[in-house]
Amino acid sequence: DRALYDAQIGWLRARSPTPLAQDVVVIGVDEAAYLAIAEPTALWHTHLGILFAGLSAAEPAVVGLAIPLPVRSYDFLVKDIDAMLISGIHRLKSTAPLVVGQPPGIGGRLRPISPELLAAIGEKDLASLAICEDMDGVVRRINQRRCQSADQRDPLALAMAKRLGRQGSPSGMIDYSVGGGIEYTPLLTVLGWIHRGETEPLRALVKGRAVVVASLLPTETRHRLPVALAGWDPGSRTEPGAVVHIQALRTLLARGLIERAPENLSLLLAGLGALFWFGRAGWIKGLALITALAALLVLSTHALWQGDYLRVANIVMVSLLAYGARLAWDFI
């Protein structure tokens, strides 16, 4: 079922992608940013504060931060280092919702944030950056119960979508056919606009849209996806975790997560497949089997295109077993 889903979603993405009225804006922290910014990432308070202040003036619909914030204050190293970031957080939250994602930490809980920053952000605006892989190691969902943090935080994509009035179910699947390849605007480019007072390019980029500030370094933990998404790494199906949240957010902002078709429908189709036991084997019956399986594949692909996931492996197995058992019985 999983392999067939991957093949179908890849086919739909190539031939009939789901349209997206307004794509998610990605501000990417790449290698150029790490080379240009002198401070270590734990001390990027000033740069993030400037970014948040600049975004507040550009009026985005919602901003998500997919970069872990420090677990403690570094005021003992740099006096008043928190002040600039806290000021930027307050300015941004006065114009748009801010959702801060944190990676998993010890004991199944999210990694904590320094109390000073947490007071500015607010507990309700924290989210999880955890990625939940299926048993075959491919990421198809963001909301599986077995991967939820002990403090019950929503995944970043779902938390951002809720700020825009969109919901998603615990069992829904990411629609990898939504949108084209994911592109990003470098952090240095955005900071350059803000430092030079060039408000129009930033406003044109983010006004009224969902924005994700994410680390896209090749050293980030990478996850296998059903399709290649990153425009800066064409052909690769292993992407940074932020890409999963970005695609999940695109899904939620389009038509929503892909939901499983009713189980009764699968049972009904499996029952129809069992009817291949009846009637002697022959070329007409073999042709009917091939036609039925092809129709089932078309039906399941169309259902996936409509946002419903019909699992077909059991139906195919029942049909083949019924046909094969009758063929063996006739032979005996």
Side-chain angles (χ1 to χ4, degrees):
D1 279 322
R2 295 183 184 120
L4 182 59
Y5 168 81
D6 293 348
Q8 288 173 314
I9 207 73
W11 188 89
L12 288 172
R13 182 175 179 82
R15 291 166 177 80
S16 184
T18 303
L20 189 62
Q22 277 194 325
D23 205 348
V24 176
V25 175
V26 182
I27 298 176
V29 179
D30 52 17
E31 289 180 290
Y34 278 83
L35 291 173
I37 297 176
E39 300 93 337
T41 54
L43 302 178
W44 280 19
H45 297 58
T46 300
H47 307 288
L48 290 177
I50 292 171
L51 174 66
F52 289 161
L55 287 174
S56 70
E59 300 178 5
V62 62
V63 176
L65 183 65
I67 302 173
L69 290 179
V71 299
R72 63 178 60 85
S73 172
Y74 289 101
D75 271 8
F76 68 94
L77 287 178
V78 182
K79 185 175 176 55
D80 297 329
I81 190 173
D82 291 334
M84 187 67 177
L85 178 52
I86 291 172
S87 174
I89 290 172
H90 285 309
R91 289 185 62 180
L92 178 57
K93 287 173 70 71
S94 68
T95 59
L98 171 65
V99 180
V100 175
Q102 286 293 101
I106 298 172
R109 296 186 175 275
L110 297 183
R111 199 176 81 172
I113 298 176
S114 71
E116 295 81 3
L117 298 180
L118 182 58
I121 296 164
E123 285 275 358
K124 65 181 179 62
D125 289 323
L126 293 183
S128 172
L129 292 178
I131 300 295
C132 198
E133 299 174 343
D134 284 340
M135 298 304 291
D136 61 351
V138 179
V139 181
R140 301 181 183 89
R141 298 173 179 84
I142 57 163
N143 216 15
Q144 297 190 61
R145 290 175 183 170
R146 65 184 177 86
C147 296
Q148 283 185 343
S149 60
D151 35 19
Q152 299 294 307
R153 299 291 182 191
D154 285 329
L156 178 69
L158 183 57
M160 293 180 66
K162 284 182 175 180
R163 302 303 187 276
L164 300 176
R166 302 297 182 96
Q167 293 285 345
S169 73
S171 60
M173 303 176 71
I174 300 171
D175 188 349
Y176 284 98
S177 71
V178 173
I182 295 175
E183 302 291 347
Y184 75 93
T185 303
L187 173 66
L188 289 182
T189 300
V190 176
L191 289 177
W193 290 338
I194 297 171
H195 285 306
R196 294 190 297 269
E198 299 174 5
T199 58
E200 286 308 311
L202 184 56
R203 180 178 288 270
L205 179 68
V206 308
K207 183 177 174 59
R209 299 170 70 179
V211 178
V212 177
V213 182
S215 176
L216 304 177
L217 288 170
T219 53
E220 290 289 325
T221 303
R222 301 173 77 85
H223 304 272
R224 286 176 55 206
L225 309 183
V227 299
L229 284 176
W232 61 92
D233 192 10
S236 174
R237 286 176 53 186
T238 58
E239 312 288 4
V243 172
V244 176
H245 286 282
I246 293 165
Q247 186 64 25
L249 181 57
R250 288 167 131 193
T251 300
L252 289 161
L253 295 182
R255 63 184 176 196
L257 298 172
I258 295 173
E259 303 292 347
R260 182 179 293 181
E263 196 67 23
N264 290 341
L265 177 59
S266 297
L267 292 173
L268 173 63
L269 293 175
L272 293 175
L275 296 178
F276 278 102
W277 162 263
F278 299 99
R280 292 185 62 85
W283 69 269
I284 295 179
K285 188 175 179 181
L287 183 61
L289 175 67
I290 294 172
T291 303
L293 295 183
L296 180 62
L297 179 62
V298 172
L299 172 65
S300 63
T301 304
H302 179 75
L304 195 59
W305 185 54
Q306 295 296 319
D308 295 307
Y309 174 47
L310 175 64
R311 296 192 300 171
V312 299
N314 287 338
I315 305 169
V316 172
M317 289 292 290
V318 168
S319 303
L320 291 176
L321 283 172
Y323 179 85
R326 183 54 189 253
L327 189 65
W329 177 257
D330 291 343
F331 178 77
I332 292 171

